[in-house]
Amino acid sequence: MKILEEIKKLCLSRYNLFVMGVQVAIYVLLVSIWSLVIMLLEHDVKAAKESMCVNSFVLFLLLIVFMVNFYLLVPYLFEAKNKTKHWAFWIINLLFITLWNHHIFSIYNEDMPNAPIRVGFYQFGVMWMILNYTMVVAAIFVRYYIRHNILRRQLREEKQKMTEAELAWLKNQLNPHFLFNTLNNISSLTQTSPNNAKKAIEQLSELLRYALYETQPKEVSLNGEIAFIKNYINLMRIRYGSNVEIKSQFVIHNSQLLIAPLVFLTPVENAFKHGISANKPSFVHISITEDNGKIVFLCENSNYPKNDTDKSGKGIGLENMYRRLELIYPERYNIEQQITAEVYHLKIIIKP
């Protein structure tokens, strides 16, 4: 009963019904082609009909051998990791093919002349058995091909799920890291300029609203991302005032361009974190432009790396960004980085 239920389940699945339909369609196509050829070449109508009937019957016998192997014998015996079942597969096929083709052997035997050695009959038998076993081998290879494609598709889906999970993890790291750094900046204002600290908190609320609610899609509007970066730069202006040269330029002609959310946040943060000195001239220059459909991010800042005792957060930023770019834009991005004693230069080119 269990085997019958498995067979019923196997035969009624949508995928197998589709494959079965394809196999029947191929059979009908072959019969139709053969019938067309016979009608064009054979002038005797009766002989043509007989030829079409015989070949339809012969192709039907081969089709059944293929389907029995494809749906039953190959999956339950040949693909089993059991040598006994492997031997059973070939033995059962021999018995099945012999019994299934008994009628056609009988017909051919009756038509042969009654001679002591009927070479033609044995030749026919050998050729017909080879043709049947060709159907068996075809069933094995077709199932292998289908199973191989299914496994490849499953691997792609699993890889895609793992990639999406990693991207979600990387993006989720950005928000607390960004919040930590920004609060660090605001904390210094509470002591030196309470009014500016209040403005900065208002600015931070706008930044957090975007970071938490507007960055859920895989891609966001580049203009929205630029607005976020502008707000962040304005927040830094409140903190540093006129003591630091802060310049920004944003030139985007195509308003439909999309980009991964917060992908430029880390280098912008690092520009203010590592590019500002309390007692030396400092500058931060940031630009995002469009060049022949490519997005070009450029950041230059004075280079004052923080020492190990600095508490403003460290570590996950650039590696996180590089990994996200590799996952989202494989072979569609380029990074140029130059570091001197006084200037840090970073250029990122993305082809959306």
Side-chain angles (χ1 to χ4, degrees), residues 163-206:
T163 300
E164 290 175 358
E166 183 178 1
L167 281 171
W169 179 75
L170 291 170
K171 193 171 77 172
N172 288 337
Q173 281 188 310
L174 285 174
N175 289 337
H177 186 258
F178 157 72
L179 180 60
F180 178 82
N181 285 340
T182 309
L183 288 175
N184 230 354
N185 290 323
I186 294 175
S187 67
S188 61
L189 288 175
T190 58
Q191 300 174 1
T192 59
S193 179
N195 289 333
N196 283 341
K198 184 178 179 181
K199 293 179 182 179
I201 291 172
E202 293 174 356
Q203 198 84 6
L204 175 61
S205 66
E206 183 65 21

Side-chain angles (χ1 to χ4, degrees), residues 280-329:
K280 295 180 182 179
S282 306
F283 72 91
V284 174
H285 298 165
I286 296 170
S287 71
I288 299 178
T289 57
E290 179 189 353
D291 181 17
N292 294 324
K294 297 179 181 179
I295 300 169
V296 181
F297 171 85
L298 180 62
C299 180
E300 288 185 335
N301 55 268
S302 44
N303 188 27
Y304 301 111
K306 304 299 181 183
N307 55 44
D308 294 336
T309 60
D310 183 76
K311 297 181 180 180
S312 60
K314 59 183 291 187
I316 70 169
L318 287 178
E319 290 184 6
N320 183 316
M321 182 191 72
Y322 294 152
R323 183 57 181 161
R324 289 186 71 207
L325 287 172
E326 183 62 32
L327 291 173
I328 301 171
Y329 303 107

